[in-house]
Amino acid sequence: MNHPFGKEEAASQKQLFGFFCECLRRGEWELAQACVPQLQEGQGDIPKRVEDILQALVVCPNLLRCGQDINPQRLAWVWLLVLEKWLAHEKKLLPVVFRRKLEFLLLSEDLQGDIPENILKELYETLTQGAVGPVPDGNPRKESCTHHLSSEAISVLWDLLRQSPQPAQALLELLLGEDDGTGLCHWPLQNALVDLIRKALRALQGPDSVPPGVVDAIYGALRTLRCPAEPLGVELRLLCEELLEACMTEGSPLREEQLLSCLLHKASRGLVSLYGHTYAEKVTEKPPRATASGKVSPDHLDPERAMLALFSNPNPAQAWKVAYFYCLSNNKHFLEQILVTALTLLKEEDFPNLGCLLDREFRPLSCLLVLLGWTHCQSLESAKRLLQTLHRTQDPGCDELLRDACDGLWAHLEVLEWCIQQSRCCKSLLNLPGQVSTVSVQYS
């Protein structure tokens, strides 16, 4: 083939593009993929034409020529990966619907025996249509779908959750999409799942025997729920209350540890916070009375008194769980809340409770609290009790610098105490006027 003088590179790229198209027509996929990197560096409209072809290979897999060892959906997945790499080089994003539709087609291969064909078609239509805009109430977090699933389709999905939880979860995650403010979250389907979970929870507490797989269906449905941080609907609040009640019921098959593991994922962060708030309210309705000094009413549930009451629980695991939920529901940093509680006790000179709070897990915070609370001591006796309660020179978890600083404070305290004693001796011997006592008070 003759190339025009001075245009050899453009002619070579055009020839390569023709070879790429011929490989696609023949089904020589490896050779076609090998041409893609060079075509991306092409001139003119060649890169745009190649990108359009790659998108067509992904969108219309049934038109591809496939061999016996690979089906159209799996071949389209290979080209999806090529297209993702192409768009990443161009600093573009792959449309989410491309991947979701292809994932659905791959998943449906394993579900054809479990889901009727007409239901699969309905689910695919719902997936392809997705979300179209905000609902009439103006709430930006919810987006309506042009196609609502039928009750038959929702019933089939719930049965699939009972029989095959993992494939059902994968299918529901595709249908629900991502709730990122611009995602394709299918809110009608999520509301239907919440209703089914609540119905199953009531069935667990009823006198009738529960069908097999209901507990697995509850766990699987909880793993797929999408929940924004704020605001939360009434249905989700009721769901958290009923989940908590079911876990606390004696003999219930639900296990709270497994239930929480189902909720702890990125898309359900708001639901975890809501469950924690519900739990904290339930547990701290009548908090255990801590041995308070009497300066703060034990019936007043301020954050500091609540944390002290929680860690007065003889069960460490229960105390940690309640404290975690309490801080989560109140948007408090856990360690900060512990330090604030300890400083409050120090100001009240409630040293027995202070030592109890900073025992065990929080012992490394003792020396830090000595430095933070030193200026709050109102007397020499108060400073001595603070050091006697919190300063542990043999604590291996204490930072060396903090321990040295506390040693210095203890030494200064001993010197000050000696000076006060000497001033009192001089006063008694020399019968000095009463102004000397004022000086000793200022030293203390």
Side-chain angles (χ1 to χ4, degrees):
M1 180 178 181
N2 297 325
H3 301 294
F5 181 75
K7 298 182 180 180
E8 291 83 357
E9 183 178 358
S12 176
Q13 292 174 356
K14 186 176 181 180
Q15 184 178 4
L16 180 62
F17 177 73
F19 178 73
F20 168 74
C21 296
E22 184 65 25
C23 290
L24 292 178
R25 282 191 291 267
R26 295 178 180 178
E28 298 175 350
W29 311 115
E30 292 81 2
L31 287 175
Q33 290 182 50
C35 300
V36 171
Q38 296 184 30
L39 292 174
Q40 193 165 18
E41 306 297 333
Q43 301 176 358
D45 63 343
I46 289 180
K48 180 63 172 61
R49 294 169 66 184
V50 174
E51 182 176 333
D52 293 340
I53 292 174
L54 293 178
Q55 291 188 10
L57 292 172
V58 174
V59 175
C60 306
N62 292 326
L63 301 180
L64 299 179
R65 178 179 296 178
C66 303
Q68 297 180 354
D69 56 340
I70 189 171
N71 59 21
Q73 288 77 22
R74 298 181 185 275
L75 186 57
W77 183 262
V78 174
W79 287 110
L80 175 70
L81 300 179
V82 175
L83 178 60
E84 280 186 335
K85 188 175 181 181
W86 176 286
L87 294 177
H89 185 271
E90 299 291 331
K91 296 182 179 180
K92 299 179 182 179
L93 294 177
L94 178 72
V96 178
V97 67
F98 283 9
R99 174 179 285 272
R100 294 174 69 236
K101 288 169 62 176
L102 193 51
E103 287 177 348
F104 179 87
L105 293 175
L106 290 172
L107 186 59
S108 63
E109 296 179 5
D110 300 327
L111 296 175
Q112 291 180 356
D114 300 321
I115 299 180
E117 185 176 354
N118 63 320
I119 300 298
L120 282 175
K121 291 181 179 180
E122 182 181 355
L123 296 177
Y124 184 75
E125 290 176 2
T126 302
L127 183 71
T128 55
Q129 291 180 7
V132 295
V135 293
D137 63 0
N139 192 344
R141 74 178 178 87
K142 290 188 177 182
E143 297 178 352
S144 61
C145 298
T146 58
H147 183 83
H148 289 243
L149 288 176
S150 63
S151 58
E152 181 184 2
I154 293 175
S155 177
V156 169
L157 289 174
W158 183 256
D159 291 338
L160 188 63
L161 275 172
R162 292 195 298 110
Q163 300 168 5
S164 304
Q166 292 185 353
Q169 291 170 35
L171 182 57
L172 285 171
E173 287 175 357
L174 287 176
L175 293 171
L176 290 172
E178 296 293 337
D179 179 35
D180 56 359
T182 59
L184 303 172
C185 191
H186 196 301
W187 290 103
L189 174 58
Q190 170 143 311
N191 292 336
L193 283 176
V194 171
D195 292 339
L196 288 172
I197 294 173
R198 295 180 59 193
K199 183 179 179 181
L201 291 174
R202 290 191 292 269
L204 289 178
Q205 298 178 354
D208 299 334
S209 60
V210 181
V214 170
V215 175
D216 292 335
I218 293 175
Y219 290 147
L222 289 174
R223 289 189 182 97
T224 61
L225 293 184
R226 270 76 174 124
C227 182
E230 289 291 343
L232 300 174
V234 179
E235 300 85 0
L236 293 178
R237 296 182 186 275
L238 293 175
L239 174 63
C240 289
E241 293 177 1
E242 293 174 5
L243 286 172
L244 181 59
E245 182 180 357
C247 290
M248 290 185 171
T249 302
E250 186 177 358
S252 173
L254 285 180
R255 295 292 176 265
E256 188 178 36
E257 294 79 7
Q258 190 169 352
L259 184 146
L260 291 175
S261 69
C262 298
L263 297 180
L264 290 173
H265 57 90
K266 182 179 179 181
S268 188
R269 189 175 303 168
L271 193 58
V272 175
S273 299
L274 180 58
Y275 183 88
H277 182 72
T278 305
Y279 188 98
E281 284 183 344
K282 185 74 173 178
V283 173
T284 57
E285 283 177 356
K286 295 181 180 180
R289 289 176 177 266
T291 55
S293 61
K295 297 185 178 182
V296 177
S297 172
D299 296 328
H300 177 60
L301 188 60
D302 58 356
E304 291 76 22
R305 189 60 61 194
M307 291 297 290
L308 177 61
L310 294 178
F311 280 96
S312 298
N313 192 327
N315 185 356
Q318 179 72 7
W320 274 99
K321 182 172 68 173
V322 178
Y324 168 76
F325 283 137
Y326 182 83
C327 294
L328 185 66
S329 62
N330 290 279
N331 295 322
K332 301 284 187 180
H333 192 283
F334 184 76
L335 289 178
E336 179 185 3
Q337 191 61 51
I338 292 294
L339 288 175
V340 170
T341 302
L343 285 174
T344 301
L345 294 173
L346 190 151
K347 294 176 184 177
E348 300 171 6
E349 298 186 3
D350 189 357
F351 293 104
N353 276 333
L354 180 61
C356 178
L357 178 65
L358 295 184
D359 198 10
R360 298 184 307 189
E361 297 92 347
F362 303 119
R363 183 173 298 180
L365 299 177
S366 298
C367 290
L368 175 61
L369 188 69
V370 170
L371 300 182
L372 293 176
W374 183 254
T375 56
H376 297 290
C377 295
Q378 301 298 322
S379 64
L380 179 62
E381 183 64 26
S382 175
K384 287 177 62 178
R385 293 189 64 188
L386 173 64
L387 286 174
Q388 289 171 355
T389 303
L390 299 184
H391 182 34
R392 299 176 175 88
T393 56
Q394 302 300 325
D395 184 7
C398 181
D399 183 81
E400 185 176 355
L401 292 177
L402 293 177
R403 187 169 60 247
D404 292 343
C406 290
D407 289 337
L409 290 176
W410 184 264
H412 286 299
L413 196 62
E414 290 179 338
V415 171
L416 181 59
E417 189 176 14
W418 181 85
C419 292
I420 294 174
Q421 291 176 353
Q422 295 301 315
S423 66
R424 289 173 179 172
C425 292
C426 293
K427 177 183 175 182
S428 61
L429 292 175
L430 302 177
N431 195 18
L432 294 177
Q435 287 82 354
V436 178
S437 62
T438 304
V439 175
S440 65
V441 171
Q442 292 178 352
Y443 271 108
S444 63

